[in-house]
């Protein structure tokens, strides 16, 4: 990897967008060429690193390949001012950026480098309009189920309020048969320039036109139901399939069932968080189940002395099962019943069931019971 952009910004590879932005602003302020102790070379490295790591697609390419691929085959670590080698597709042009507060020419439009390429291509007669038809937001809801439902699995239909596609205009926000007119705000360009003053200096940013949403055109007949948004408040219904063994707080992702997008854009996703209610009898620990069984002291002793040495225990499936008490049984240890726990999620088999015995001792003992217990003690100790 020619340049370690994470190291240049002083962040980990797992850093969030916000952490990258904060690190860049702090270092850019420190190494600004116009400040005492500033470093022009370091400042340029910071800008290069930020342009890559602040862009999701470029960052993904950089993480995977150690460089960023362009349409012409160049890389972000090449020799040209845009990351291309001097012999690349722009090798014949002289990009001369005189220094200002950002180390670029005074007419340089900050933001994503795509703004610069858009302006460059447009000068060659290639027009690229950027639309701001936003994808719908994701929706998360909680679905509460019982432990028995988590054990058996089920299919449940749920409904929830969210933005839905406008039925009158089919989500377009307008009547396409009525035609369009040129946007007067951006003069049909689909974008506007916005001058901004910051502590870094003055710069101009190219933004998508908020009136025509980057299309350069205004519909002649805007939908009166959704007011041009292509979506309205409504309700969605969906069947959720819950697989046996689902865990508490497990999330099920259902594609395209979130909030409807603007003007025909993609819908968001639905995330269903499963909440398994606590059970009155069974306690879950991973795929294992724990059940407590109360047993009287005398009953326990009689069970130990019986021929089969078994007691009865409940299971989550509803059936009763007999539990064999092992030899030299320690009452403090649970009795394991293999394969009677929760199903393994998306797998085969089940966890185990552990029976914890709670021995109930007599509250009061008569002199007769005491005499019997003393005789029992002598009998067991062989006196």
């Amino acid at each position: 990897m020619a340049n370690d952009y994470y190291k240049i910004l002083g962040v980990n590879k797992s850093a969030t967008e916000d952490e990258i932005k904060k690190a860049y602003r702090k270092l850019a302020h420190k190494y600004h060429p116009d400040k005492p102790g500033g470093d022009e070379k370091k400042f340029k490295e910071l800008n290069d690193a930020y342009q890559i790591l602040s862009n999701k697609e470029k960052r993904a390419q950089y993480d995977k390949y150690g460089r960023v691929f362009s349409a012409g085959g160049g890389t972000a670590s090449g020799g040209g001012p845009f990351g291309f080698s001097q012999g690349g597709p722009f090798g014949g042009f002289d990009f001369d950026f005189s220094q200002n507060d950002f180390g670029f020419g005074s007419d340089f439009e900050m933001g994503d480098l795509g703004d610069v390429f858009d302006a460059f291509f447009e000068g060659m007669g290639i027009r690229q309009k950027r639309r701001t038809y936003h994808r719908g937001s994701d929706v998360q809801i909680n679905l509460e189920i019982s432990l028995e439902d988590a054990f058996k699995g089920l299919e449940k239909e749920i409904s929830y309020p969210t933005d839905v596609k406008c039925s009158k205009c089919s989500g377009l926000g307008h009547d396409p048969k009525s035609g369009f007119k040129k946007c007067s705000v951006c003069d049909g360009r689909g974008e506007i320039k916005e001058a901004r003053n910051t502590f870094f200096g003055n710069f101009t940013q190219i933004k998508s036109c908020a009136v025509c949403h980057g299309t350069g055109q205004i519909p002649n007949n805007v939908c009166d139901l959704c007011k041009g948004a292509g979506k309205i408040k409504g309700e969605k219904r969906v069947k959720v399939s819950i697989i046996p063994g689902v865990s508490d707080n497990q999330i099920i992702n259902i594609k395209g069932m979130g909030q409807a997008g603007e003007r025909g854009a993609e819908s968001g996703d639905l995330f269903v968080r499963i909440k398994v209610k606590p059970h009155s009898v069974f306690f879950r620990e991973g795929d294992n189940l724990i059940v407590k069984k109360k047993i009287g002291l005398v009953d326990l002793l009689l069970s130990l002395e019986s021929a089969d040495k078994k007691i009865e225990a409940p299971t989550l499936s509803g059936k009763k099962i007999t539990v064999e008490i092992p030899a030299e049984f320690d009452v403090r240890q649970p009795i394991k019943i293999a394969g009677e726990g929760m199903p393994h999620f998306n797998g085969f088999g089940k966890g185990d069931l552990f029976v914890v015995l709670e021995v109930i001792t007599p509250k009061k003992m008569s002199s007769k019971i005491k005499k019997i217990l003393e005789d029992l003690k002598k009998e067991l100790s062989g006196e």
Side-chain angles (χ1 to χ4, degrees):
M1 194 176 286
N3 292 314
D4 190 337
Y5 291 132
Y6 292 101
K7 186 175 181 181
I8 290 173
L9 292 180
V11 296
N12 296 325
K13 194 171 182 180
S14 59
T16 63
E17 293 180 11
D18 189 52
E19 289 172 340
I20 289 173
K21 184 182 293 185
K22 287 180 179 178
Y24 168 70
R25 287 178 176 175
K26 181 179 178 180
L27 293 172
H29 186 75
K30 178 180 179 181
Y31 291 104
H32 194 285
D34 293 342
K35 291 185 175 292
D39 188 326
E40 180 182 348
K41 183 179 179 182
K42 180 70 174 178
F43 187 75
K44 194 171 188 304
E45 286 181 348
L46 291 170
N47 276 313
D48 291 341
Y50 181 69
Q51 290 293 342
I52 299 302
L53 299 186
S54 63
N55 183 292
K56 289 183 180 180
E57 293 182 1
K58 294 177 183 178
R59 182 179 179 180
Q61 288 184 14
Y62 175 73
D63 288 344
K64 188 172 184 179
Y65 303 106
R67 58 179 183 170
V68 177
F69 296 93
S70 68
T75 69
S77 57
F82 290 103
F84 296 101
S85 62
Q86 294 297 332
F90 298 100
F93 296 92
D94 181 16
F95 293 94
D96 181 18
F97 296 106
S98 58
Q99 293 180 9
N100 63 0
D101 285 344
F102 267 102
F104 299 106
S106 59
D107 293 330
F108 184 81
E109 277 111 22
M110 287 301 294
D112 185 57
L113 284 180
D115 294 339
V116 180
F117 285 115
D118 285 347
F120 177 76
F121 288 130
E122 188 172 331
M124 298 175 64
I126 304 174
R127 188 79 172 271
Q128 291 185 331
K129 293 179 181 178
R130 292 167 293 166
R131 301 187 179 190
T132 56
Y133 287 7
H134 298 298
R135 173 186 181 272
S137 299
D138 295 332
V139 175
Q140 178 176 305
I141 61 174
N142 292 336
L143 177 58
E144 192 174 59
I145 63 173
S146 66
L147 187 60
E148 285 86 355
D149 290 335
F151 179 83
K152 299 175 182 177
L154 78 157
E155 187 174 78
K156 191 177 181 74
E157 186 175 64
I158 58 174
S159 59
Y160 49 98
T162 186
D163 289 350
V164 298
K165 183 188 293 186
C166 178
S167 57
K168 186 173 183 178
C169 64
S170 300
L172 295 177
H174 61 272
D175 180 9
K177 296 179 181 179
S178 300
F180 300 85
K181 60 185 175 183
K182 185 170 72 171
C183 177
S184 59
V185 175
C186 65
D187 196 28
R189 292 171 54 87
E191 58 191 19
I192 58 175
K193 291 184 179 181
E194 183 181 82
R196 297 180 61 189
N197 297 324
T198 72
F199 70 92
F200 284 122
N202 301 327
F203 64 92
T204 303
Q205 184 178 16
I206 296 179
K207 296 181 64 176
S208 182
C209 177
V211 177
C212 66
H213 307 285
T215 64
Q217 297 178 319
I218 302 293
N220 288 323
N221 187 4
V222 176
C223 178
D224 58 358
L225 179 59
C226 65
K227 309 304 180 185
K231 59 182 181 178
I232 57 175
K233 296 294 182 182
E235 182 181 85
K236 285 189 176 182
R237 302 182 69 88
V238 65
K239 286 186 178 180
V240 182
S241 295
I242 300 174
I243 299 175
V246 65
S247 301
D248 184 43
N249 282 320
Q250 191 159 334
I251 293 177
I252 300 173
N253 181 12
I254 304 177
K255 290 286 187 182
M257 288 304 295
Q259 189 182 84
E262 293 181 350
R263 304 168 194 87
E266 180 185 10
S267 295
D269 295 339
L270 173 65
F271 294 89
V272 181
R273 183 184 294 273
I274 302 299
K275 303 295 291 183
V276 182
K277 292 184 290 187
H279 200 275
S280 60
V281 176
F282 295 92
F283 174 77
R284 182 176 183 177
E285 193 173 84
D287 285 344
N288 296 326
L289 291 173
I290 300 170
V291 62
K292 291 182 179 180
K293 179 176 176 60
K294 292 183 179 181
I295 185 170
L297 177 59
V298 176
D299 293 330
L300 176 61
L301 292 175
L302 291 174
S303 297
L304 291 172
E305 289 301 314
S306 64
D308 53 8
K309 295 183 179 181
K310 291 181 179 180
I311 59 174
E312 193 176 72
T315 63
L316 189 57
S317 62
K319 67 180 180 180
K320 297 289 185 178
I321 190 169
T322 53
V323 183
E324 182 175 355
I325 301 176
E328 299 182 358
F329 172 66
D330 185 347
V331 73
R332 295 170 299 179
Q333 297 298 321
I335 302 172
K336 176 182 174 181
I337 307 175
E340 287 295 335
M342 295 293 293
H344 296 311
F345 185 77
N346 273 338
F348 299 98
K350 297 178 182 178
D352 301 323
L353 172 65
F354 291 88
V355 181
V356 178
L357 296 182
E358 290 186 338
V359 181
I360 304 172
T361 57
K363 292 182 178 180
K364 293 182 180 180
M365 290 189 293
S366 64
S367 57
K368 183 179 180 179
I369 293 176
K370 289 181 180 179
K371 179 67 170 60
I372 294 173
L373 290 176
E374 287 174 357
D375 294 339
L376 177 63
K377 181 180 179 181
K378 291 179 182 179
E379 180 73 24
L380 293 174
S381 62
E383 294 180 2

